[in-house]
Coordinates of all heavy atoms in Angstrom, one line a residue:
M1416 N 18.0 -11.0 -5.3 CA 17.4 -11.8 -4.3 C 16.3 -11.0 -3.6 O 15.2 -11.5 -3.4 CB 18.5 -12.4 -3.4 CG 17.9 -13.3 -2.4 SD 17.5 -14.9 -3.1 CE 18.2 -15.9 -1.9
M1417 N 16.7 -9.8 -3.0 CA 15.8 -9.0 -2.3 C 14.6 -8.5 -3.1 O 13.5 -8.5 -2.7 CB 16.5 -7.9 -1.6 CG 15.7 -6.9 -0.8 SD 15.4 -7.4 0.9 CE 16.8 -7.0 1.7
Q1418 N 14.9 -8.2 -4.4 CA 13.9 -7.8 -5.3 C 12.9 -8.9 -5.6 O 11.7 -8.6 -5.6 CB 14.6 -7.4 -6.7 CG 13.6 -6.7 -7.6 CD 13.2 -5.3 -7.2 OE1 14.0 -4.6 -6.7 NE2 12.0 -5.0 -7.5
E1419 N 13.3 -10.1 -5.7 CA 12.4 -11.2 -5.9 C 11.5 -11.4 -4.6 O 10.3 -11.6 -4.7 CB 13.1 -12.5 -6.2 CG 13.8 -12.5 -7.6 CD 14.7 -13.7 -7.8 OE1 14.6 -14.7 -7.0 OE2 15.4 -13.7 -8.7
A1420 N 12.1 -11.3 -3.5 CA 11.4 -11.4 -2.2 C 10.3 -10.4 -2.0 O 9.2 -10.7 -1.6 CB 12.3 -11.4 -1.1
I1421 N 10.7 -9.1 -2.3 CA 9.6 -8.1 -2.2 C 8.5 -8.3 -3.2 O 7.3 -8.0 -2.8 CB 10.2 -6.7 -2.3 CG1 9.3 -5.7 -1.7 CG2 10.6 -6.3 -3.7 CD1 9.8 -4.2 -1.5
V1422 N 8.8 -8.7 -4.3 CA 7.7 -9.0 -5.3 C 6.7 -10.1 -4.7 O 5.5 -9.9 -4.8 CB 8.2 -9.4 -6.7 CG1 7.1 -9.9 -7.6 CG2 9.0 -8.2 -7.3
I1423 N 7.3 -11.1 -4.2 CA 6.5 -12.2 -3.7 C 5.6 -11.7 -2.5 O 4.4 -11.9 -2.4 CB 7.4 -13.4 -3.2 CG1 8.0 -14.0 -4.5 CG2 6.6 -14.4 -2.4 CD1 9.1 -15.0 -4.2
D1424 N 6.3 -11.0 -1.6 CA 5.5 -10.5 -0.4 C 4.5 -9.4 -0.8 O 3.4 -9.4 -0.3 CB 6.5 -9.9 0.7 CG 7.2 -11.0 1.4 OD1 6.6 -12.1 1.6 OD2 8.3 -10.8 1.9
A1425 N 4.9 -8.5 -1.7 CA 4.0 -7.5 -2.2 C 2.8 -8.1 -2.8 O 1.6 -7.7 -2.5 CB 4.7 -6.5 -3.1
T1426 N 3.0 -9.1 -3.7 CA 1.9 -9.8 -4.4 C 0.9 -10.4 -3.4 O -0.3 -10.3 -3.5 CB 2.4 -10.8 -5.4 OG1 3.3 -10.1 -6.3 CG2 1.3 -11.5 -6.1
R1427 N 1.5 -11.1 -2.4 CA 0.7 -11.7 -1.4 C -0.2 -10.8 -0.6 O -1.3 -10.9 -0.4 CB 1.6 -12.5 -0.4 CG 0.9 -13.2 0.7 CD 1.9 -13.9 1.7 NE 3.0 -13.0 2.2 CZ 2.9 -12.2 3.2 NH1 1.7 -12.1 3.9 NH2 3.9 -11.5 3.7
L1428 N 0.5 -9.6 -0.2 CA -0.2 -8.6 0.6 C -1.3 -7.9 -0.3 O -2.4 -7.6 0.2 CB 0.7 -7.6 1.2 CG 1.6 -8.1 2.3 CD1 2.8 -7.1 2.6 CD2 0.9 -8.5 3.5
I1429 N -1.0 -7.6 -1.5 CA -1.9 -7.0 -2.4 C -3.2 -7.8 -2.6 O -4.3 -7.4 -2.5 CB -1.3 -6.7 -3.8 CG1 -0.3 -5.5 -3.6 CG2 -2.3 -6.3 -4.8 CD1 0.6 -5.3 -4.7
K1430 N -2.9 -9.1 -2.8 CA -4.1 -10.1 -3.0 C -4.9 -10.1 -1.7 O -6.2 -10.2 -1.7 CB -3.6 -11.5 -3.3 CG -3.1 -11.6 -4.8 CD -2.6 -13.0 -5.1 CE -2.2 -13.0 -6.6 NZ -1.6 -14.4 -6.9
K1431 N -4.2 -10.2 -0.5 CA -4.9 -10.3 0.8 C -5.8 -9.1 1.0 O -7.0 -9.2 1.3 CB -3.8 -10.3 1.9 CG -4.3 -10.3 3.3 CD -3.2 -10.3 4.3 CE -3.7 -10.1 5.7 NZ -2.6 -10.1 6.7
Y1432 N -5.3 -7.8 0.8 CA -6.1 -6.7 1.1 C -7.1 -6.4 -0.1 O -8.1 -5.8 0.3 CB -5.1 -5.5 1.4 CG -4.5 -5.7 2.7 CD1 -3.1 -5.8 2.7 CD2 -5.1 -6.0 3.8 CE1 -2.4 -6.0 4.0 CE2 -4.5 -6.2 5.0 CZ -3.1 -6.3 5.1 OH -2.5 -6.5 6.3
A1433 N -6.8 -6.7 -1.3 CA -7.8 -6.6 -2.3 C -9.0 -7.5 -2.0 O -10.2 -7.0 -2.1 CB -7.2 -7.0 -3.6
E1434 N -8.8 -8.7 -1.5 CA -9.9 -9.5 -1.1 C -10.6 -9.0 0.1 O -11.8 -8.9 0.1 CB -9.3 -10.9 -0.8 CG -10.4 -12.0 -0.5 CD -9.8 -13.3 -0.3 OE1 -9.0 -13.8 -1.1 OE2 -10.2 -13.9 0.7
Q1435 N -9.9 -8.5 1.1 CA -10.4 -7.9 2.3 C -11.4 -6.7 2.0 O -12.4 -6.6 2.6 CB -9.3 -7.5 3.3 CG -9.9 -7.0 4.6 CD -8.8 -6.7 5.6 OE1 -7.7 -7.2 5.5 NE2 -9.1 -5.8 6.5
Y1436 N -10.9 -5.9 1.1 CA -11.7 -4.7 0.7 C -12.7 -4.9 -0.5 O -13.4 -4.1 -0.9 CB -10.8 -3.5 0.3 CG -10.0 -2.9 1.5 CD1 -8.8 -3.4 1.9 CD2 -10.6 -1.9 2.3 CE1 -8.1 -2.9 3.0 CE2 -10.0 -1.4 3.4 CZ -8.7 -1.9 3.7 OH -8.1 -1.3 4.8
G1437 N -12.7 -6.1 -1.0 CA -13.6 -6.5 -2.2 C -13.2 -5.7 -3.4 O -14.1 -5.3 -4.2
L1438 N -11.9 -5.5 -3.7 CA -11.4 -4.8 -4.8 C -10.5 -5.7 -5.7 O -9.9 -6.6 -5.2 CB -10.5 -3.6 -4.4 CG -11.2 -2.6 -3.5 CD1 -10.1 -1.7 -2.9 CD2 -12.1 -1.8 -4.2
P1439 N -10.5 -5.4 -7.0 CA -9.6 -6.1 -7.9 C -8.1 -5.8 -7.5 O -7.9 -4.6 -7.2 CB -9.9 -5.6 -9.3 CG -11.2 -5.0 -9.2 CD -11.4 -4.5 -7.8
P1440 N -7.2 -6.7 -7.5 CA -5.8 -6.4 -7.1 C -5.2 -5.2 -7.9 O -4.4 -4.4 -7.3 CB -5.1 -7.7 -7.3 CG -6.1 -8.8 -7.2 CD -7.4 -8.1 -7.7
K1441 N -5.5 -5.1 -9.2 CA -4.9 -4.0 -9.9 C -5.4 -2.7 -9.5 O -4.6 -1.7 -9.6 CB -5.2 -4.2 -11.5 CG -6.7 -4.0 -11.8 CD -6.8 -4.2 -13.3 CE -8.2 -4.1 -13.8 NZ -8.4 -4.3 -15.2
W1442 N -6.5 -2.6 -8.8 CA -7.0 -1.3 -8.2 C -6.1 -0.9 -7.1 O -5.8 0.3 -6.8 CB -8.4 -1.3 -7.8 CG -9.4 -1.4 -8.9 CD1 -9.1 -1.5 -10.3 CD2 -10.8 -1.2 -8.9 NE1 -10.2 -1.5 -11.0 CE2 -11.3 -1.3 -10.2 CE3 -11.7 -1.0 -7.8 CZ2 -12.7 -1.2 -10.4 CZ3 -13.0 -0.8 -8.1 CH2 -13.5 -0.9 -9.4
V1443 N -5.7 -1.9 -6.3 CA -4.8 -1.6 -5.1 C -3.5 -1.0 -5.6 O -2.9 -0.2 -5.0 CB -4.5 -2.9 -4.3 CG1 -3.5 -2.6 -3.2 CG2 -5.9 -3.4 -3.7
M1444 N -3.0 -1.5 -6.8 CA -1.7 -1.0 -7.3 C -1.9 0.4 -8.0 O -0.9 1.1 -8.3 CB -1.1 -2.0 -8.3 CG -0.5 -3.2 -7.6 SD 0.7 -2.7 -6.4 CE 2.0 -1.9 -7.4
S1445 N -3.1 0.8 -8.3 CA -3.3 2.1 -9.0 C -3.3 3.2 -8.0 O -4.0 3.2 -7.0 CB -4.7 2.0 -9.8 OG -4.7 1.0 -10.7
R1446 N -2.6 4.3 -8.4 CA -2.5 5.4 -7.5 C -3.8 6.1 -7.5 O -4.5 6.2 -8.5 CB -1.4 6.3 -8.0 CG 0.0 5.6 -7.7 CD 1.1 6.3 -8.3 NE 1.2 7.8 -8.0 CZ 2.2 8.5 -8.3 NH1 3.3 7.9 -8.9 NH2 2.3 9.7 -8.0
F1447 N -4.1 6.8 -6.4 CA -5.4 7.5 -6.3 C -5.6 8.6 -7.4 O -6.7 8.7 -7.9 CB -5.5 8.2 -4.9 CG -6.8 8.8 -4.6 CD1 -7.8 8.1 -4.0 CD2 -7.0 10.2 -4.9 CE1 -9.0 8.8 -3.8 CE2 -8.2 10.8 -4.6 CZ -9.2 10.1 -4.1
D1448 N -4.5 9.3 -7.6 CA -4.6 10.4 -8.5 C -4.5 10.1 -10.0 O -4.7 11.0 -10.9 CB -3.6 11.5 -8.2 CG -2.1 11.0 -8.3 OD1 -2.0 9.8 -8.3 OD2 -1.2 11.8 -8.3
V1449 N -4.3 8.9 -10.3 CA -4.2 8.4 -11.7 C -5.6 8.0 -12.1 O -6.3 7.4 -11.3 CB -3.1 7.3 -11.8 CG1 -3.1 6.7 -13.3 CG2 -1.8 7.8 -11.4
G1450 N -5.9 8.2 -13.4 CA -7.2 7.8 -13.8 C -7.7 6.5 -13.4 O -8.8 6.3 -13.0
G1451 N -6.8 5.5 -13.5 CA -7.1 4.2 -13.0 C -8.0 3.4 -13.9 O -8.6 3.9 -14.9
P1452 N -8.3 2.1 -13.5 CA -9.2 1.3 -14.3 C -10.6 1.8 -14.2 O -11.0 2.5 -13.3 CB -9.1 0.0 -13.5 CG -7.9 0.0 -12.7 CD -7.7 1.5 -12.4
K1453 N -11.4 1.4 -15.2 CA -12.8 1.8 -15.3 C -13.6 1.2 -14.1 O -13.3 0.2 -13.6 CB -13.4 1.3 -16.6 CG -13.2 2.1 -17.8 CD -14.1 1.6 -18.9 CE -14.4 2.7 -19.9 NZ -15.2 2.3 -21.0
G1454 N -14.6 2.0 -13.7 CA -15.4 1.6 -12.6 C -15.0 2.0 -11.2 O -15.7 1.8 -10.3
R1455 N -13.9 2.7 -11.1 CA -13.4 3.1 -9.8 C -14.2 4.4 -9.5 O -14.2 5.4 -10.1 CB -11.9 3.5 -9.9 CG -11.1 2.3 -9.7 CD -9.6 2.6 -9.7 NE -9.2 3.2 -8.4 CZ -8.0 3.7 -8.3 NH1 -7.1 3.9 -9.3 NH2 -7.7 4.2 -7.1
T1456 N -14.8 4.4 -8.3 CA -15.5 5.5 -7.8 C -14.6 6.2 -6.8 O -13.5 5.7 -6.5 CB -16.8 5.1 -7.0 OG1 -16.4 4.3 -5.9 CG2 -17.7 4.3 -8.0
V1457 N -15.0 7.3 -6.2 CA -14.2 8.0 -5.2 C -14.0 7.1 -4.0 O -12.9 7.0 -3.5 CB -14.8 9.4 -4.8 CG1 -14.1 10.0 -3.6 CG2 -14.8 10.3 -6.0
Q1458 N -15.0 6.4 -3.7 CA -15.0 5.5 -2.5 C -14.0 4.3 -2.7 O -13.2 4.0 -1.9 CB -16.4 4.9 -2.1 CG -16.4 4.0 -0.9 CD -15.9 4.8 0.4 OE1 -16.2 6.0 0.5 NE2 -15.2 4.0 1.2
T1459 N -14.1 3.7 -3.9 CA -13.1 2.6 -4.2 C -11.7 3.1 -4.3 O -10.8 2.4 -4.1 CB -13.6 1.8 -5.4 OG1 -13.7 2.7 -6.6 CG2 -14.9 1.1 -5.2
R1460 N -11.6 4.4 -4.8 CA -10.2 5.0 -4.8 C -9.7 5.1 -3.4 O -8.5 4.9 -3.2 CB -10.2 6.3 -5.5 CG -10.3 6.2 -7.0 CD -10.4 7.6 -7.6 NE -10.7 7.5 -9.0 CZ -9.9 7.9 -10.0 NH1 -8.8 8.6 -9.7 NH2 -10.2 7.9 -11.2
I1461 N -10.5 5.6 -2.5 CA -10.1 5.7 -1.1 C -9.7 4.4 -0.5 O -8.7 4.2 0.1 CB -11.2 6.4 -0.3 CG1 -11.3 7.9 -0.7 CG2 -10.9 6.3 1.2 CD1 -12.5 8.6 -0.2
E1462 N -10.5 3.4 -0.8 CA -10.3 2.1 -0.2 C -9.1 1.4 -0.8 O -8.2 0.8 -0.1 CB -11.5 1.2 -0.5 CG -12.7 1.5 0.4 CD -14.0 0.8 0.0 OE1 -14.0 0.1 -1.1 OE2 -15.0 1.0 0.7
S1463 N -8.9 1.6 -2.1 CA -7.7 1.0 -2.7 C -6.4 1.7 -2.3 O -5.4 1.1 -2.1 CB -7.8 1.0 -4.3 OG -7.9 2.3 -4.8
S1464 N -6.5 3.1 -2.1 CA -5.4 3.8 -1.6 C -5.0 3.4 -0.2 O -3.8 3.2 0.1 CB -5.7 5.3 -1.6 OG -4.7 6.1 -1.1
H1465 N -6.0 3.2 0.6 CA -5.8 2.7 2.0 C -5.1 1.3 2.0 O -4.1 1.1 2.7 CB -7.1 2.6 2.8 CG -6.9 2.2 4.2 ND1 -6.5 3.0 5.2 CD2 -7.1 1.0 4.8 CE1 -6.4 2.3 6.3 NE2 -6.8 1.1 6.1
A1466 N -5.6 0.4 1.1 CA -5.0 -0.9 1.0 C -3.5 -0.8 0.5 O -2.7 -1.5 1.0 CB -5.8 -1.8 0.0
R1467 N -3.3 0.0 -0.5 CA -2.0 0.2 -1.0 C -1.0 0.8 0.1 O 0.1 0.3 0.3 CB -2.0 1.2 -2.1 CG -0.7 1.6 -2.8 CD -1.0 2.6 -3.9 NE 0.2 3.3 -4.4 CZ 0.9 2.9 -5.4 NH1 0.5 1.9 -6.1 NH2 1.9 3.6 -5.8
H1468 N -1.5 1.7 0.9 CA -0.7 2.2 2.0 C -0.4 1.2 3.1 O 0.6 1.2 3.6 CB -1.3 3.5 2.6 CG -1.4 4.6 1.6 ND1 -2.0 5.8 1.9 CD2 -0.9 4.8 0.4 CE1 -1.9 6.6 0.9 NE2 -1.2 6.0 0.0
R1469 N -1.4 0.3 3.3 CA -1.2 -0.8 4.2 C -0.2 -1.7 3.8 O 0.7 -2.2 4.5 CB -2.6 -1.4 4.4 CG -2.7 -2.3 5.5 CD -4.1 -2.8 5.7 NE -4.2 -3.6 6.9 CZ -5.4 -4.0 7.4 NH1 -6.5 -3.7 6.8 NH2 -5.4 -4.7 8.5
V1470 N -0.2 -2.1 2.4 CA 0.9 -2.9 1.8 C 2.2 -2.3 2.0 O 3.2 -3.0 2.5 CB 0.5 -3.2 0.4 CG1 1.7 -3.9 -0.3 CG2 -0.7 -4.1 0.2
I1471 N 2.4 -1.0 1.7 CA 3.6 -0.4 1.8 C 4.2 -0.4 3.2 O 5.3 -0.7 3.5 CB 3.5 1.1 1.3 CG1 3.4 1.1 -0.2 CG2 4.7 1.9 1.7 CD1 3.0 2.4 -0.9
T1472 N 3.3 -0.1 4.2 CA 3.7 -0.1 5.6 C 4.1 -1.4 6.1 O 5.0 -1.6 6.8 CB 2.5 0.5 6.5 OG1 2.2 1.8 6.0 CG2 2.9 0.5 7.9
E1473 N 3.3 -2.5 5.7 CA 3.6 -3.8 6.1 C 5.0 -4.3 5.5 O 5.7 -5.0 6.2 CB 2.5 -4.8 5.8 CG 1.3 -4.6 6.7 CD 0.4 -5.8 6.7 OE1 0.8 -7.0 6.5 OE2 -0.8 -5.6 7.0
L1474 N 5.2 -3.9 4.3 CA 6.6 -4.3 3.7 C 7.7 -3.6 4.5 O 8.8 -4.3 4.7 CB 6.6 -3.8 2.2 CG 5.7 -4.6 1.2 CD1 5.7 -4.0 -0.1 CD2 6.2 -6.1 1.1
A1475 N 7.5 -2.4 4.9 CA 8.5 -1.8 5.8 C 8.7 -2.5 7.1 O 9.7 -2.7 7.6 CB 8.2 -0.3 6.0
D1476 N 7.5 -2.9 7.7 CA 7.5 -3.7 8.9 C 8.2 -5.0 8.8 O 8.8 -5.6 9.7 CB 6.1 -3.9 9.4 CG 5.5 -2.6 9.9 OD1 6.2 -1.6 10.1 OD2 4.2 -2.6 10.1
L1477 N 8.2 -5.6 7.6 CA 8.9 -6.9 7.3 C 10.4 -6.7 7.1 O 11.1 -7.6 7.0 CB 8.3 -7.5 6.0 CG 6.9 -8.1 6.1 CD1 6.3 -8.5 4.8 CD2 6.9 -9.3 7.1
G1478 N 10.8 -5.4 7.1 CA 12.2 -5.1 7.1 C 12.8 -4.8 5.7 O 14.0 -4.6 5.5
Y1479 N 11.9 -4.6 4.7 CA 12.4 -4.2 3.4 C 12.9 -2.7 3.4 O 12.3 -1.9 4.1 CB 11.3 -4.3 2.3 CG 11.1 -5.8 2.0 CD1 9.9 -6.5 2.5 CD2 12.0 -6.5 1.2 CE1 9.7 -7.7 2.2 CE2 11.7 -7.8 0.9 CZ 10.6 -8.5 1.4 OH 10.3 -9.8 1.1
P1480 N 14.0 -2.5 2.8 CA 14.5 -1.1 2.7 C 13.5 -0.2 2.1 O 12.9 -0.5 1.1 CB 15.8 -1.2 1.9 CG 16.2 -2.6 1.9 CD 14.9 -3.4 2.1
R1481 N 13.4 1.0 2.6 CA 12.4 2.0 2.0 C 12.7 2.4 0.6 O 11.8 2.6 -0.2 CB 12.2 3.1 3.0 CG 11.6 2.7 4.3 CD 11.3 3.8 5.2 NE 10.7 3.2 6.5 CZ 10.1 3.9 7.3 NH1 10.0 5.2 7.2 NH2 9.6 3.4 8.4
D1482 N 14.0 2.4 0.2 CA 14.3 2.7 -1.1 C 13.8 1.6 -2.1 O 13.3 1.9 -3.2 CB 15.9 2.8 -1.3 CG 16.5 4.0 -0.7 OD1 15.7 5.0 -0.5 OD2 17.6 4.0 -0.4
L1483 N 13.9 0.4 -1.7 CA 13.4 -0.7 -2.5 C 11.9 -0.7 -2.6 O 11.3 -0.9 -3.7 CB 13.8 -2.1 -1.9 CG 13.4 -3.3 -2.6 CD1 14.0 -3.3 -4.1 CD2 13.9 -4.6 -1.9
I1484 N 11.2 -0.4 -1.5 CA 9.7 -0.2 -1.5 C 9.4 0.9 -2.5 O 8.5 0.7 -3.3 CB 9.2 0.0 -0.1 CG1 9.5 -1.2 0.8 CG2 7.7 0.3 -0.2 CD1 9.2 -0.9 2.3
A1485 N 10.0 2.0 -2.4 CA 9.8 3.2 -3.3 C 9.9 2.8 -4.7 O 9.0 3.1 -5.5 CB 10.7 4.3 -2.9
R1486 N 11.0 2.1 -5.1 CA 11.2 1.7 -6.4 C 10.1 0.7 -6.9 O 9.6 0.8 -8.0 CB 12.6 1.1 -6.7 CG 13.7 2.0 -6.7 CD 15.0 1.5 -7.2 NE 15.4 0.2 -6.5 CZ 16.1 0.1 -5.4 NH1 16.5 1.2 -4.8 NH2 16.4 -1.0 -4.9
S1487 N 9.7 -0.2 -6.0 CA 8.7 -1.2 -6.4 C 7.4 -0.5 -6.6 O 6.6 -1.1 -7.4 CB 8.6 -2.2 -5.2 OG 9.8 -2.9 -5.0
F1488 N 7.1 0.6 -6.0 CA 5.8 1.2 -6.2 C 5.9 2.5 -7.0 O 4.9 3.3 -7.0 CB 5.1 1.5 -4.8 CG 4.6 0.3 -4.2 CD1 5.4 -0.6 -3.4 CD2 3.2 0.0 -4.3 CE1 4.8 -1.7 -2.8 CE2 2.7 -1.1 -3.7 CZ 3.5 -2.0 -3.0
D1489 N 7.0 2.7 -7.6 CA 7.2 3.9 -8.5 C 7.0 5.2 -7.7 O 6.3 6.0 -8.2 CB 6.4 3.8 -9.8 CG 6.8 4.8 -10.8 OD1 8.0 5.1 -10.8 OD2 6.0 5.2 -11.6
L1490 N 7.6 5.2 -6.5 CA 7.4 6.4 -5.6 C 8.8 6.8 -5.2 O 9.8 6.1 -5.3 CB 6.6 6.0 -4.4 CG 5.2 5.5 -4.5 CD1 4.7 5.0 -3.2 CD2 4.3 6.7 -5.0
G1491 N 8.9 8.0 -4.7 CA 10.1 8.5 -4.1 C 10.2 8.0 -2.6 O 9.2 7.7 -2.0
R1492 N 11.4 8.0 -2.1 CA 11.6 7.6 -0.7 C 10.8 8.5 0.3 O 10.3 8.0 1.2 CB 13.1 7.6 -0.4 CG 13.2 7.0 1.0 CD 14.7 6.9 1.5 NE 14.6 6.4 2.8 CZ 15.6 5.8 3.4 NH1 16.7 5.7 2.8 NH2 15.5 5.3 4.6
D1493 N 10.8 9.8 0.0 CA 10.1 10.7 0.9 C 8.6 10.4 0.9 O 7.9 10.5 1.9 CB 10.3 12.2 0.4 CG 11.7 12.6 0.7 OD1 12.4 12.0 1.5 OD2 12.1 13.7 0.2
A1494 N 8.0 10.0 -0.3 CA 6.6 9.6 -0.4 C 6.4 8.3 0.5 O 5.4 8.3 1.2 CB 6.2 9.4 -1.8
V1495 N 7.3 7.4 0.4 CA 7.1 6.1 1.2 C 7.2 6.5 2.7 O 6.3 6.0 3.5 CB 8.2 5.1 0.8 CG1 8.2 4.0 1.8 CG2 7.9 4.5 -0.6
N1496 N 8.1 7.3 3.1 CA 8.2 7.7 4.5 C 6.9 8.4 4.9 O 6.4 8.2 6.1 CB 9.4 8.6 4.7 CG 10.7 7.8 4.6 OD1 10.8 6.6 4.9 ND2 11.8 8.5 4.3
S1497 N 6.4 9.3 4.1 CA 5.2 10.0 4.5 C 4.0 9.1 4.6 O 3.2 9.2 5.5 CB 4.9 11.1 3.4 OG 3.8 11.8 3.6
I1498 N 3.9 8.1 3.6 CA 2.8 7.2 3.6 C 2.8 6.4 4.9 O 1.8 6.2 5.6 CB 2.8 6.2 2.4 CG1 2.4 7.0 1.1 CG2 2.0 5.0 2.6 CD1 2.7 6.3 -0.2
I1499 N 4.0 5.8 5.2 CA 4.1 5.0 6.4 C 3.8 5.8 7.7 O 3.0 5.4 8.6 CB 5.5 4.4 6.5 CG1 5.7 3.4 5.4 CG2 5.8 3.8 7.9 CD1 7.1 2.9 5.2
K1500 N 4.3 7.0 7.8 CA 4.1 7.9 9.0 C 2.5 8.2 9.1 O 1.9 8.0 10.2 CB 4.8 9.2 8.8 CG 4.6 10.1 10.0 CD 5.4 11.4 9.8 CE 5.2 12.4 10.9 NZ 5.9 13.6 10.7
K1501 N 1.9 8.5 8.0 CA 0.4 8.9 8.1 C -0.4 7.6 8.4 O -1.4 7.7 9.1 CB 0.0 9.5 6.7 CG 0.5 10.9 6.6 CD 0.0 11.5 5.2 CE 0.6 12.8 5.0 NZ 0.3 13.4 3.7
F1502 N 0.0 6.5 7.8 CA -0.8 5.3 8.0 C -0.7 4.9 9.5 O -1.7 4.5 10.1 CB -0.2 4.1 7.1 CG -1.1 2.9 7.2 CD1 -2.3 2.8 6.5 CD2 -0.8 1.9 8.0 CE1 -3.1 1.7 6.5 CE2 -1.6 0.7 8.1 CZ -2.8 0.7 7.4
R1503 N 0.5 4.9 10.0 CA 0.7 4.6 11.5 C -0.1 5.5 12.4 O -0.7 5.1 13.4 CB 2.2 4.5 11.8 CG 2.8 3.3 11.2 CD 4.2 3.1 11.6 NE 4.8 1.9 11.1 CZ 6.0 1.7 10.8 NH1 6.9 2.7 10.9 NH2 6.5 0.5 10.3
Q1504 N -0.1 6.8 12.0 CA -0.9 7.8 12.8 C -2.4 7.4 12.8 O -3.0 7.5 13.8 CB -0.7 9.2 12.3 CG 0.7 9.8 12.7 CD 0.9 11.2 12.0 OE1 0.3 11.5 11.0 NE2 1.8 11.9 12.6
Q1505 N -2.8 7.1 11.6 CA -4.3 6.7 11.5 C -4.6 5.5 12.3 O -5.6 5.4 12.9 CB -4.6 6.5 10.0 CG -4.7 7.7 9.1 CD -4.9 7.4 7.7 OE1 -4.8 6.2 7.3 NE2 -5.2 8.4 6.9
Q1506 N -3.7 4.5 12.2 CA -3.9 3.3 13.0 C -3.9 3.6 14.5 O -4.8 3.0 15.2 CB -2.8 2.2 12.7 CG -2.9 1.8 11.3 CD -4.2 1.1 10.9 OE1 -5.1 1.7 10.2 NE2 -4.5 -0.1 11.3
N1507 N -3.0 4.4 15.0 CA -3.0 4.8 16.4 C -4.2 5.5 16.8 O -4.7 5.3 17.9 CB -1.7 5.6 16.7 CG -0.5 4.7 16.7 OD1 -0.5 3.5 16.9 ND2 0.7 5.4 16.4
E1508 N -4.7 6.4 15.9 CA -5.9 7.2 16.3 C -7.2 6.2 16.4 O -8.0 6.4 17.2 CB -6.2 8.2 15.2 CG -5.2 9.4 15.3 CD -5.3 10.3 14.1 OE1 -6.2 10.2 13.3 OE2 -4.4 11.3 14.0
Q1509 N -7.2 5.3 15.5 CA -8.3 4.3 15.5 C -8.3 3.4 16.8 O -9.4 3.0 17.2 CB -8.3 3.4 14.3 CG -8.6 4.2 13.0 CD -8.6 3.3 11.8 OE1 -8.1 2.2 11.8 NE2 -8.9 3.9 10.7
R1510 N -7.2 3.2 17.3 CA -7.0 2.3 18.5 C -7.5 3.1 19.8 O -7.9 2.4 20.7 CB -5.6 1.9 18.7 CG -5.2 0.9 17.7 CD -3.8 0.3 18.0 NE -3.3 -0.4 16.8 CZ -2.1 -0.5 16.5 NH1 -1.1 0.3 17.1 NH2 -1.7 -1.1 15.4
H1511 N -7.4 4.4 19.8 CA -7.7 5.2 21.0 C -9.1 5.7 20.9 O -9.9 5.9 20.3 CB -6.7 6.3 21.2 CG -5.4 5.7 21.5 ND1 -4.3 5.8 20.6 CD2 -4.9 5.1 22.6 CE1 -3.2 5.2 21.1 NE2 -3.5 4.8 22.3

């Protein structure tokens, strides 16, 4: 049940931020360091990475367990914790 819910929420958020950044949704799901789809520039890799980190952070804010988020994005729990921490720090720095 929780697995189905995270898929629905993750898909919704990926589409939302892909549209916001003007990127194809599959780019948001592609990791920065992986070759990725054709046509990705360094700038679009940065933007898609930022969108991906935003999705991961918002899923945690929605209350999904970090282990489940990690499995959903093929990451380790430590990576998810690090992404969330760095993303929140960036957001706080932009506000001040």
